[in-house]
Amino acid sequence: MIGVNNHYLTFGSKDEVIRVLDDATAVGANVIRTFLQPVIGSLDGSVATIWDWRAKRDASDLGVKDTYLLYWDPRAGRMAINDGANGMQKVDFLIAEAGKRRLKLIIAFLDFWSYTGGAQQMRAWYGSPDKSGFFFQDPRTKQDYRTWVSHVVQRVNTLTGLAYRDDPTIMAWELMNEGNARPDALRLAWTAEMSAYVKSLDSNHLVSSGHASVSDKLSDLTIPTLDFGTWHGYPLFYKLTVKQFNDTIIEFCQLALRAGKPVLLEEFGYARSNRDSAEAYAMWLDTLVRDPNCAGWVVWRLVSRQDSGGYPADEDEQFDIRNDGGAISNIVKAAAEWAAQIRKAVGGIR
């Protein structure tokens, strides 16, 4: 599996979405991972939105241009879902266009973080300041999550006529991007409960947690209703050298072998400003391609030209990958081509 992440596919313009999908194809990806977002307060402002959703910025910089998927309905006193042109119809478009390009999608139902609302906005609907426990144990937020999952999985795409649960373009559902529930027992219990719920609605697609899984060494792999494991690797965050991170890749692929489930390195990044950035990506991707116990990678993150004309500035983390002929994009493309050749050779033998 060769993939890329993109964070604005559910709220970018149609042209911005198409540019990302075309660039993903150009760098050799066969999978794109994204999150269902944004989540806001109420439209009338009586229930606050905890992030600046009206900001006039580029899509990559979280300018959502009045797009929202989930919101609070103060009249009904409950969560509501936006199925309109500035809501779920944007997801319809993404799935339809990915399908035209034979790209598969990994879709997380929600983001844990508050960048575009996510689970933090949903707990804020109920006035809770608890960022790590409330969402995962309060009966109201748990029911909101189930309602949302049911709506998404059973939605019929207005462009293709296919229910999402029947659409082969969707490779997998993820419960949440980096659902950092605390304590860990709560995270595991919530993951087991909600993955079983997704499976009860959709037996056609794979399910994973979307958890970063580094510190706990893929502890959720033992949950039977998770089909594959995920981990997110940022070596500088974990104070690892390039070589130590390469050793961690090998370690996690061995964990996959012992668990009897695929494990996907579904986020990783290393700042372009590091002098050894190109060499680091080359080493890690070489290891991921060569090791038969590794299920693949999904790099963080592919971005394309914005409607404003240029690529995102990416001055902080500097993780962005661009289809611009640069050293890192060429390394990703070469690794993707090599992996495709290996798959073809193995298929020929079989």
Side-chain angles (χ1 to χ4, degrees):
M1 183 187 308
I2 300 118
V4 294
N5 285 275
N6 180 276
H7 62 295
Y8 59 84
L9 287 173
T10 59
F11 55 81
S13 71
K14 289 184 177 181
D15 287 342
E16 286 170 329
V17 170
I18 286 171
R19 284 193 286 269
V20 171
L21 298 179
D22 287 343
D23 283 349
T25 301
V27 300
N30 52 29
V31 173
I32 296 182
R33 177 176 177 260
T34 196
F35 322 142
L36 296 182
Q37 53 188 351
V39 185
I40 65 170
S42 62
L43 292 169
D44 65 4
S46 62
V47 175
T49 298
I50 63 173
W51 57 285
D52 189 6
W53 85 286
R54 298 289 192 183
K56 304 300 181 184
R57 297 192 290 250
D58 283 345
S60 181
D61 197 24
L62 308 183
V64 303
K65 301 177 178 67
D66 296 328
T67 299
Y68 60 96
L69 302 187
L70 292 171
Y71 65 106
W72 185 261
D73 182 346
R75 290 188 177 181
R78 59 176 173 79
M79 178 186 79
I81 298 169
N82 178 13
D83 283 317
N86 64 338
M88 286 300 294
Q89 289 179 35
K90 282 183 167 282
V91 184
D92 291 347
F93 179 78
L94 166 62
I95 295 171
E97 290 297 318
K100 292 177 184 177
R101 293 159 177 79
R102 298 184 179 180
L103 288 165
K104 300 292 186 181
L105 295 172
I106 298 174
I107 300 176
F109 289 114
L110 204 60
D111 190 8
F112 174 79
W113 307 105
S114 62
Y115 298 114
T116 55
Q120 301 307 323
Q121 180 68 66
M122 294 173 74
R123 58 91 186 157
W125 290 340
Y126 299 101
S128 173
D130 177 3
K131 296 181 179 181
S132 59
F134 180 87
F135 178 89
F136 301 93
Q137 60 190 352
D138 187 270
R140 296 166 295 180
T141 46
K142 289 177 70 174
Q143 184 54 53
D144 286 343
Y145 182 83
R146 291 190 198 94
T147 299
W148 173 230
V149 167
S150 177
H151 186 89
V152 170
V153 168
Q154 298 181 79
R155 178 178 173 81
V156 175
N157 191 313
T158 57
L159 298 174
T160 67
L162 283 174
Y164 285 15
R165 64 184 174 189
D166 298 324
D167 197 324
T169 298
I170 299 169
M171 189 198 89
W173 300 113
E174 288 193 345
L175 301 182
M176 185 182 295
N177 174 55
E178 298 185 347
N180 292 344
R182 295 289 183 271
D184 207 46
L186 174 62
R187 177 182 64 84
L188 292 171
W190 184 89
T191 300
E193 178 183 351
M194 296 308 177
S195 59
Y197 181 67
V198 176
K199 284 288 190 183
S200 74
L201 298 173
D202 180 358
S203 60
N204 296 323
H205 292 110
L206 301 173
V207 175
S208 192
S209 68
H211 187 54
S213 299
V214 175
S215 301
D216 60 272
K217 305 283 187 182
L218 298 164
S219 61
D220 59 18
L221 269 183
T222 58
I223 296 173
T225 42
L226 294 182
D227 297 301
F228 64 98
T230 60
W231 68 289
H232 300 176
Y234 297 94
L236 297 184
F237 178 81
Y238 291 105
K239 297 180 172 56
L240 299 174
T241 66
V242 168
K243 176 60 168 61
Q244 287 171 332
F245 185 67
N246 196 65
D247 293 341
T248 303
I249 292 173
I250 297 169
E251 176 190 3
F252 274 61
C253 293
Q254 285 295 312
L255 291 173
L257 176 64
R258 291 199 289 271
K261 290 183 179 180
V263 169
L264 180 64
L265 175 54
E266 69 167 14
E267 280 191 29
F268 65 106
Y270 193 58
R272 292 188 309 276
S273 57
N274 292 312
R275 292 183 178 181
D276 59 347
S277 60
E279 292 84 356
Y281 279 97
M283 176 189 291
W284 302 334
L285 294 179
D286 180 82
T287 297
L288 287 159
V289 173
R290 288 180 183 276
D291 191 330
N293 299 315
C294 298
W297 72 85
V298 187
V299 68
W300 184 272
R301 65 192 173 190
L302 178 73
V303 297
S304 301
R305 292 192 182 276
Q306 304 289 281
D307 285 346
S308 59
Y311 286 105
D314 188 32
E315 295 174 349
D316 296 327
E317 294 177 332
Q318 300 183 34
F319 294 151
D320 286 359
I321 306 294
R322 306 163 180 168
N323 179 34
D324 59 358
I328 295 175
S329 66
N330 286 338
I331 288 167
V332 171
K333 187 181 298 185
E337 291 173 354
W338 183 26
Q341 291 171 5
I342 291 175
R343 285 199 310 274
K344 185 176 180 180
V346 171
I349 293 171
R350 290 176 180 172

